[in-house]
Amino acid sequence: MNRHLLSAGDLTRDDAELVLRTAEELRSLADRPIKKLPALRGRTVVNLFFEDSTRTRISFEAAAKRLSADVINFAAKGSSLSKGESLKDTALTLEAMGADAIVVRHSASGAPHRLAHTGWTRSSVINAGDGTHEHPTQALLDAFTMWRHLAPGGAGKSGGGLDGRRIAVVGDVLHSRVARSNALLLRTLGAEVTLVAPPTLLPVGVEGWDVETSYDLDSVLPKADAVMMLRVQRERMSDAYFPTVREYSRRYGLDSRRMGLLQEHALVMHPGPMVRGMEITADVADSSRSVIVEQVTNGVAVRMAVLYLLLAGSSEPTLTTSDPGASE
Amino acid sequence: MTSYLIKNARPYGGEPTDVLVRDGVVAELGASLTPEEGTEVVDAGGAVLLPGLVDLHTHLREPGREDAETVDTGTRAAAQGGFTAVHAMANTDPVADTAGVVEQVWRLGREAGHCDVYPVGAVTVGLAGEQLAELGAMADSAARVRVFSDDGKCVSDAVLMRRALEYVKAFDGVIAQHAQEPRLTEGAQMNEGDLSGRLGLRGWPAVAEEAIIARDCLLTAHVGSRLHVCHLSTAGSVDLVRWAKSNGWNVTAEVTPHHLLLTDDLAATYDPIFKVNPPLRTAADVEAVRAGLADGTIDVVATDHAPHPHEDKDCEWSAAAFGMLGLETALSVVQHTMVDTGLLTWEQVADRMSVRPAEIGRVADHGRPIAVGEPANLVVFDASVTRVVDPTETASLSRNNPYAGRELPGRVVATFLRGRPTVLDGKVL
Ligand SMILES: [Zn+2]
């Protein structure tokens, strides 16, 4: 593995499978009375959030604490609209505090990349979502969720990837960091990806992404093994990306009629936060097909795996749940 | 005034000769001239001799951003790069939209004395795109402004652009348009193409430039005026200018050195040193602008030298300022991209970087032939050496040099402004 996790594209297939296997081992911790491992004792993980995202921050915080790391939450004010000096100054401060890893969320695409490559800090940098660029740990947790349900052999037992599985990613691909990271990672793991959106919400150059694209959700759903609905902000309407919320929902929303087009085993996913009634109806989100709640649980395990693999400096997971040191 | 004998220089890269510079003019040309008493000898060692370069597009930042550049430091950088005249863009603070401001800039240039400074006047008051600035007053001022531009912003209102084009006919002015359709480029960060989508950086489509160029060419033809297209950057823009010229319309165009060399894939570093307006484009665009410059569709190379203080580039991409330095590297980049590739001769380089920009800017004493009796505005350029660009070695106050660490050919040995050296032995005097 690289020292940083900036893009899902940084992960080789071996890297990605290692994260998934490690996450599977760590996930079993959640079922035990004492949920802590000593793996990162004495190490410091900083959650550096320039953008509010309580759910992602809490997920990383829980992951770091379960590995016994010291966690510092740093909610920085400052955005790409004001001068970006604060990113550098903050990085220098954290460097002085001896952060081993910086988990960064920023509204500017490439901000984690800058942190990792400018010499402002020697810490490992983990991208927790940057602008409209990427969100690699979200893609890992999504892949992990799919893998547990869909991997050949079932329940992730066989190792391997998601070869031949068909995943539809639906919605505002243009502005979605989740879509970018998912497209990259799912292809690495051998899945076939179809991005579904109105033409206005597909990026120029998407032909080069090694994925299928479609404007027609109904034609994609019957073949899908999982469908991931992306959040669509109502404000996109005022920028003329689509005429009305109602028309968007009618053409690209997942309601119970559309859910009926899915295969028996197909999963319904959403990276959250959902806009119920816009891209997904409440009954679909709460249905038995939906693994949206499980995605949250899996998020902690995957982030533990990432922190462990980046910081414990091991290329192989040495954790076993029977390790006596593990449950102290 | 000291006389200078430039020994063994090759005018336009041709046969070596000696050049005697006396009383501000080229006094003698010929093999083995003997220096008179008191004449200083400059050994060119077979270097190329060109007429002093003329930049149609320089940001000197004074008044207002003297932390980034001043007229003095910017013109030092210009001399270092072989320029004897620069056109100072109007987007200062206050904006150069009155006779008072353009005369101030012009006077600062005279006082600094490193090269001639021709202020560009703003087209609209405060670059706001709403009301014409007093173009006539600037034309009639001591600065004798002939080039008008809202550069940094596009004169996007079609009626205002039409009126500006018409109005400057009264004093043989030219409107230099920064072609950028504002609605198509709101929040735009880099060339819209294969890479912008992957990097999650808001795309800047070629059509935003081309639509304005097409419109302005038609307006220029309609009112019979003169249009100059600033820093065109796309293959489509080259085609449009070629089309306008083929119709006999009075349209000229410039390309920057960086658009001749650098491509949008540099944005993948997220290093804002490569953030510039218009954005770096694709390799196909680079090929097209080189071809356009070679066949004369693009008239001139203009630097768009845009100094920025360190903190405006030492940040995340979207927070950074647009622009890069260019004066000190322009001739090297042109050698690298156009001469060493066989696309231009040195005589054509002189045309694109001195003769044509002087004609477009209506600057009488620059861009003249290297001939006896002509003003001694000259640059001695050693094309045989290479250098690794070090951003700290600069006369500019700023360091935002996109070529840092690159090897580029050529080095300015000496620059003469009306017979007086502004650079000797590669050093600004
Ligand atoms: Zn401009």
Side-chain angles (χ1 to χ4, degrees):
Chain A
M1 296 257 296
N2 268 315
R3 209 161 64 78
H4 308 292
L5 179 58
L6 306 176
S7 160
D10 295 345
L11 299 168
T12 64
R13 175 141 183 173
D14 283 349
D15 290 338
E17 289 186 15
L18 177 61
V19 173
L20 301 187
R21 282 200 309 274
T22 307
E24 182 64 28
E25 283 196 50
L26 293 168
R27 194 181 189 275
S28 60
L29 260 187
D31 304 329
R32 299 168 58 187
I34 299 168
K35 299 181 182 359
K36 267 186 128 167
L37 289 172
L40 297 184
R41 180 170 295 147
R43 316 296 286 275
T44 301
V45 174
V46 175
N47 285 322
L48 176 57
F49 278 57
F50 287 84
E51 218 181 41
D52 286 340
S53 174
T54 310
R55 63 168 57 214
T56 305
R57 184 183 53 74
I58 287 175
S59 180
F60 269 107
E61 185 172 355
K65 285 185 169 162
R66 284 183 195 174
L67 293 170
S68 305
D70 296 324
V71 178
I72 299 172
N73 288 315
F74 199 117
K77 287 287 167 220
S79 70
S80 60
L81 299 175
S82 64
K83 270 223 183 111
E85 187 73 33
S86 56
L87 177 63
K88 180 185 180 183
D89 286 342
T90 310
L92 296 177
T93 305
L94 299 180
E95 173 68 10
M97 287 163 59
D100 295 289
I102 299 177
V103 175
V104 60
R105 161 71 66 107
H106 202 289
S107 60
S109 299
H113 199 279
R114 289 289 279 163
L115 265 187
H117 294 295
T118 44
W120 298 335
T121 172
R122 286 166 295 174
S123 312
S124 283
V125 176
I126 299 170
N127 181 359
D130 62 329
T132 54
H133 178 223
E134 284 213 42
H135 195 354
T137 61
Q138 177 71 44
L140 282 165
L141 81 86
D142 292 336
F144 182 56
T145 306
M146 293 176 206
W147 183 65
R148 299 188 84 240
H149 289 272
L150 301 173
K157 290 282 189 293
S158 68
L162 291 166
D163 292 295
R165 291 302 190 173
R166 291 185 169 133
I167 316 296
V169 179
V170 185
D172 185 358
V173 176
L174 179 63
H175 299 95
S176 173
R177 47 197 173 207
V178 177
R180 279 166 183 72
S181 289
N182 264 291
L184 288 165
L185 183 68
L186 291 170
R187 292 296 296 132
T188 299
L189 288 167
E192 288 166 26
V193 178
T194 304
L195 304 177
V196 186
T200 46
L201 290 175
L202 285 173
V204 165
V206 74
E207 318 76 56
W209 286 22
D210 191 26
V211 295
E212 300 284 314
T213 58
S214 172
Y215 307 139
D216 179 10
L217 182 53
D218 284 348
S219 71
V220 173
L221 290 176
K223 290 169 281 181
D225 295 299
V227 54
M228 179 173 321
M229 304 306 296
L230 301 172
R231 185 162 67 118
V232 180
Q233 295 176 333
R234 304 176 75 91
E235 304 84 74
R236 302 292 177 213
M237 189 177 79
S238 47
D239 289 332
Y241 287 106
F242 47 85
T244 61
V245 168
R246 191 157 31 129
E247 171 150 326
Y248 181 86
S249 298
R250 204 183 306 125
R251 293 177 68 86
Y252 296 100
L254 191 61
D255 57 12
S256 45
R257 178 191 70 79
R258 284 216 166 95
M259 193 167 64
L261 299 175
L262 287 168
Q263 301 174 75
E264 202 67 27
H265 68 274
L267 308 174
V268 171
M269 304 177 71
H270 195 298
M274 283 181 277
V275 187
R276 288 175 190 245
M278 176 82 178
E279 70 266 7
I280 193 165
T281 56
D283 54 330
V284 173
D286 300 332
S287 74
S288 59
R289 300 291 189 87
S290 163
V291 290
I292 294 170
V293 175
E294 188 191 331
Q295 284 175 271
V296 177
T297 312
N298 291 344
V300 177
V302 157
R303 286 167 179 134
M304 286 174 78
V306 167
L307 286 167
Y308 174 79
L309 292 169
L310 289 183
L311 292 185
S314 167
S315 59
E316 282 299 317
T318 56
L319 299 174
T320 60
T321 46
S322 59
D323 178 347
S327 52
E328 69 182 70
Chain B
M1 194 174 178
T2 313
S3 303
Y4 290 86
L5 179 60
I6 306 167
K7 299 283 289 180
N8 192 21
R10 296 186 297 120
Y12 309 106
E15 289 306 305
T17 185
D18 296 350
V19 184
L20 179 66
V21 170
R22 191 172 54 210
D23 297 330
V25 298
V26 175
E28 266 187 83
L29 275 170
S32 311
L33 300 182
T34 346
E36 300 163 19
E37 182 86 9
T39 297
E40 271 194 41
V41 175
V42 176
D43 184 7
V48 175
L49 184 69
L50 300 175
L53 308 181
V54 178
D55 193 11
L56 267 178
H57 195 144
T58 313
H59 296 276
L60 293 178
R61 301 293 187 222
E62 190 177 4
R65 285 308 300 269
E66 290 84 354
D67 58 326
E69 197 80 288
T70 64
V71 172
D72 182 59
T73 60
T75 52
R76 280 171 171 273
Q80 181 77 74
F83 290 87
T84 52
V86 298
H87 288 73
M89 274 301 170
N91 63 337
T92 48
D93 183 16
V95 171
D97 58 2
T98 62
V101 179
V102 294
E103 286 189 347
Q104 182 198 353
V105 172
W106 175 75
R107 206 173 305 115
L108 286 167
R110 301 240 306 181
E111 285 162 13
H114 305 295
C115 78
D116 289 344
V117 174
Y118 296 94
V120 173
V123 176
T124 66
V125 175
L127 310 178
E130 284 163 8
Q131 183 193 344
L132 281 188
E134 288 191 353
L135 309 181
M138 292 188 272
D140 294 340
S141 74
R144 294 183 44 77
V145 175
R146 290 296 176 270
V147 182
F148 298 89
S149 181
D150 275 1
D151 182 62
K153 296 208 175 139
C154 180
V155 181
S156 61
D157 183 300
V159 172
L160 210 50
M161 186 62 184
R162 174 202 166 139
R163 299 281 184 250
L165 284 163
E166 285 180 301
Y167 194 78
V168 298
K169 286 161 64 176
F171 34 84
D172 194 24
V174 61
I175 304 296
Q177 175 72 295
H178 171 113
Q180 178 190 351
E181 210 294 313
R183 284 280 286 148
L184 282 171
T185 51
E186 273 170 26
Q189 297 292 326
M190 70 169 293
N191 180 49
E192 184 165 77
D194 292 344
L195 207 56
S196 54
R198 287 176 202 265
L199 296 178
L201 292 172
R202 184 85 61 90
W204 189 309
V207 61
E209 175 173 314
E210 294 155 3
I212 293 291
I213 294 176
R215 181 201 74 176
D216 287 354
C217 287
L218 293 165
L219 285 172
T220 301
H222 183 60
V223 302
S225 186
R226 207 151 68 87
L227 170 72
H228 178 70
V229 180
C230 292
H231 44 54
L232 70 68
S233 66
T234 74
S237 298
V238 178
D239 287 340
L240 286 165
V241 171
R242 195 175 278 126
W243 160 74
K245 286 189 159 163
S246 73
N247 288 330
W249 302 341
N250 209 336
V251 174
T252 58
E254 73 191 28
V255 63
T256 69
H258 46 272
H259 288 111
L260 288 170
L261 179 58
L262 307 177
T263 48
D264 63 349
D265 52 328
L266 290 164
T269 63
Y270 288 106
D271 184 345
I273 200 82
F274 301 114
K275 181 175 173 179
V276 66
N277 175 350
L280 300 177
R281 303 289 190 181
T282 67
D285 292 309
V286 166
E287 202 176 317
V289 294
R290 287 185 187 187
L293 184 64
D295 71 18
T297 301
I298 299 173
D299 300 76
V300 307
V301 175
T303 67
D304 197 6
H305 178 82
H308 289 291
H310 185 61
E311 59 272 20
D312 286 356
K313 289 289 192 181
D314 197 26
C315 55
E316 56 273 26
W317 181 282
S318 59
F322 289 99
M324 37 183 70
L325 299 183
L327 286 167
E328 291 164 299
T329 44
L331 193 47
S332 288
V333 172
V334 170
Q335 180 188 342
H336 178 59
T337 57
M338 302 299 295
V339 180
D340 292 351
T341 52
L343 290 167
L344 287 184
T345 64
W346 284 110
E347 179 141 25
Q348 289 171 314
V349 170
D351 178 72
R352 311 299 195 265
M353 297 186 76
S354 179
V355 178
R356 287 293 289 145
E359 284 171 6
I360 292 165
R362 299 293 190 255
V363 172
D365 289 350
H366 293 273
R368 302 293 305 165
I370 301 172
V372 172
E374 292 287 351
N377 296 318
L378 300 166
V379 52
V380 180
F381 185 71
D382 183 354
S384 69
V385 297
T386 60
R387 56 173 168 153
V388 175
V389 177
D390 176 352
T392 65
E393 287 173 10
T394 179
S396 170
L397 279 184
S398 292
R399 302 285 180 275
N400 51 313
N401 189 324
Y403 311 108
R406 269 181 199 260
E407 192 174 272
L408 286 178
R411 169 178 163 269
V412 171
V413 177
T415 309
F416 288 86
L417 175 63
R418 280 182 293 279
R420 182 174 55 82
T422 53
V423 173
L424 270 186
D425 287 332
K427 292 186 182 63
V428 182
L429 299 176

